[in-house]
Amino acid sequence: MTATSSFLARRTFSFHACPIQQLSRLAQSRNAINLAEGFPDFPAPEHIKQAAISAILEDYNQYRHVQAACDEVAKHFSETQGVQIDPTNITLCCGQSEAFAASIMAVVDVGDEVLLLDPCYETYEACIALAGGCPVYVRMKPPYWTIDMNMLEASISSRSKAIVVNSPHNPTGKVFSMQELTDIAELCVKYDLLAITDEVYEHITYGNAKHISLASLPGMVDRTVITSSLSKTFSVTGWRLGWAIAPPEIAPAVSNIHVKISDSAPAPFQEAAVIALRSSNDYFVSLRKEYEERRDFVLHMLRAVGFEAYFKPEGSMFVFVELPVSSTKDDVEYATELIEKAGVAIVPGHGFFHNNKRESENFNRFCIDGMGKDTHEYTRRYVRIAFCKSKSTLFSAARAWQSYPL
């Protein structure tokens, strides 16, 4: 250990670069087409940009809390989910990431367990670990990412504090059904669990799939912390404007932690959020239509180069697809060669899969899926493709990928 590293906190050694970070340098060196990162490469809506510009020109440059933005979040949630929210229980944060972190810090004590439906977004684990909690993973079953409710219930212990629900889901594109949400809600009530939701893709759903917030189910509004943001809905991932909606006894703690971490969300973008959340229904309809076309294009592209793509994403902006049986490569090998040979960057999927740190007979058996198949046979077989890109980018990727079929 070097003299410098001896000053590091032990917790830092448990955090490693994710697959997307590890491959990003190679992708940049090859000037690869970016279908890896989940941000759009096309402009944000003009009226949203103008609202931010106006706020800057009016010198909204200092620490600021824009209550009107909280009012619009509450109104928007009521209109879309049928749940009345007190705007004073909303904390505006620097993106959904900070909203989620502040929510975890507000409720998770050392030793508390938090249930996560796996595969899942990697920052959940980091936030729980930094709070001193223990993530407990419950594997969803591919290719349709179904939840074994018996397995979920068996994962609950006397130390369980909360469950995280991300729908529409990153990385799979699954939208949880009413029945699944009802079953989860019943377990929350039965075992007195809090739910913490990530609803950033709430407006990006396809076909008959519809986003339903867990908070809208009976008995859940007072035991759910909802996190979301402007980022995905309005193509402004760099604005870092999100929020946490919490029950009255939790909301002040979330707000206090947010203030201690970052003091306030970006002032001009709080002002722009007021305008964004007042967008007409036509905007949200058009958003879904545009993304559905992109999803279908990418699915067609994948099938053309040898993927089977059993599961058609119901929401979000990603396709999470298994490498064909004929391929002998794992996810990292395939993603690396795709950059090198076709100049297209995607994400190896294994970074979204996790193992439980707590060992027991129950948890060991969770490493076997319903067909008796070792999960390690498929956790290194998935890749994630982002289709939140311009049509010209997607066309270019399709042409390049054709040069490297499976």
Side-chain angles (χ1 to χ4, degrees):
M1 181 178 291
T2 66
T4 304
S5 65
S6 66
F7 294 115
L8 291 173
R10 284 192 298 273
R11 70 176 67 89
T12 63
F13 295 103
S14 64
F15 297 109
H16 307 285
C18 66
I20 189 172
Q21 294 170 318
Q22 294 168 341
L23 287 173
S24 63
R25 188 170 298 175
L26 175 62
Q28 290 173 7
S29 70
R30 300 301 175 92
N31 196 27
I33 300 166
N34 185 358
L35 302 188
E37 295 171 286
F39 61 79
D41 65 351
F42 48 83
E46 190 64 28
H47 70 294
I48 309 301
K49 292 192 291 185
Q50 288 301 322
I53 291 168
S54 295
I56 292 170
L57 293 176
E58 291 172 22
D59 288 323
Y60 291 134
N61 301 319
Q62 313 309 325
Y63 302 131
R64 187 174 178 84
H65 170 73
V66 180
Q67 185 57 40
C70 294
D71 296 341
E72 290 300 326
V73 170
K75 179 182 177 184
H76 190 74
F77 194 80
S78 174
E79 291 173 347
T80 58
Q81 299 298 324
V83 178
Q84 297 298 316
I85 296 294
D86 183 345
T88 63
N89 293 328
I90 297 173
T91 302
L92 298 175
C93 297
C94 298
Q96 184 275 338
S97 296
E98 193 211 358
F100 184 87
S103 300
I104 289 291
M105 294 289 182
V107 301
V108 174
D109 279 319
V110 173
D112 285 345
E113 293 179 351
V114 180
L115 302 174
L116 296 168
L117 298 170
D118 206 53
C120 65
Y121 191 50
E122 62 179 5
T123 59
Y124 302 157
E125 176 184 33
C127 292
I128 295 163
L130 288 171
C134 178
V136 175
Y137 297 99
V138 182
R139 195 66 58 85
M140 295 190 290
K141 182 179 175 181
Y144 302 106
W145 309 108
T146 54
I147 305 169
D148 184 330
M149 291 299 168
N150 291 326
M151 185 182 293
L152 178 58
E153 184 167 14
S155 303
I156 299 170
S157 76
S158 60
R159 292 194 292 164
S160 299
K161 172 66 77 69
I163 180 171
V164 174
V165 177
N166 169 213
S167 180
H169 185 258
N170 178 9
T172 68
K174 173 187 174 71
V175 174
F176 288 19
S177 68
M178 175 61 84
Q179 185 59 59
E180 288 172 319
L181 293 172
T182 298
D183 291 341
I184 292 170
E186 289 175 352
L187 290 176
C188 288
V189 173
K190 180 178 178 180
Y191 292 98
D192 194 25
L193 299 178
L194 181 73
I196 302 173
T197 67
D198 175 352
E199 305 183 20
V200 295
Y201 302 102
E202 58 192 296
H203 290 290
I204 305 176
T205 59
Y206 312 116
N208 294 324
K210 181 182 179 182
H211 168 62
I212 302 168
S213 176
L214 195 61
S216 68
L217 273 63
M220 290 306 295
V221 69
D222 291 327
R223 61 171 67 249
T224 304
V225 179
I226 303 134
T227 66
S228 192
S229 77
L230 292 184
S231 293
K232 311 301 183 179
T233 303
F234 297 100
S235 303
V236 288
T237 61
W239 284 16
R240 313 315 299 142
L241 198 291
W243 51 84
I245 307 172
E249 67 275 14
I250 297 175
V254 175
S255 179
N256 287 338
I257 290 168
H258 155 68
V259 169
K260 298 299 186 294
I261 293 173
S262 62
D263 198 286
S264 70
F269 302 139
Q270 290 187 60
E271 296 287 346
V274 176
I275 303 303
L277 292 166
R278 290 174 181 169
S279 297
S280 69
N281 186 60
D282 289 345
Y283 172 78
F284 300 106
V285 171
S286 176
L287 178 77
R288 287 191 289 271
K289 181 176 181 295
E290 288 285 328
Y291 270 120
E292 188 164 11
E293 290 175 357
R294 288 170 165 82
R295 177 203 64 174
D296 292 346
F297 179 87
V298 167
L299 287 171
H300 177 78
M301 174 184 74
L302 289 170
R303 289 169 182 145
V305 295
F307 287 84
E308 295 182 354
Y310 292 110
F311 180 67
K312 193 174 186 178
E314 301 160 331
S316 84
M317 49 182 62
F318 306 108
V319 174
F320 197 57
V321 63
E322 187 175 12
L323 295 171
V325 175
S326 59
S327 174
T328 59
K329 300 177 179 66
D330 68 17
D331 57 340
V332 173
E333 292 169 338
Y334 183 83
T336 301
E337 288 196 10
L338 189 64
I339 293 172
E340 293 175 337
K341 296 185 177 182
V344 177
I346 60 175
V347 177
H350 77 269
F352 298 103
F353 292 100
H354 306 81
N355 293 316
N356 286 300
K357 295 181 176 63
R358 184 174 60 146
E359 296 297 333
S360 70
E361 181 180 349
N362 276 345
F363 283 86
N364 285 336
R365 73 180 174 83
F366 292 167
C367 291
I368 306 294
D369 72 16
M371 297 177 290
K373 178 179 170 184
D374 188 334
T375 57
H376 291 290
E377 292 182 16
Y378 68 80
T379 59
R380 300 300 297 256
R381 299 283 301 170
Y382 276 84
V383 292
R384 193 194 73 176
I385 297 95
F387 54 85
C388 50
K389 308 298 176 181
S390 67
K391 292 179 180 178
S392 62
T393 297
L394 295 178
F395 285 134
S396 296
R399 285 195 298 270
W401 210 324
Q402 287 288 346
S403 67
Y404 181 58
L406 285 162

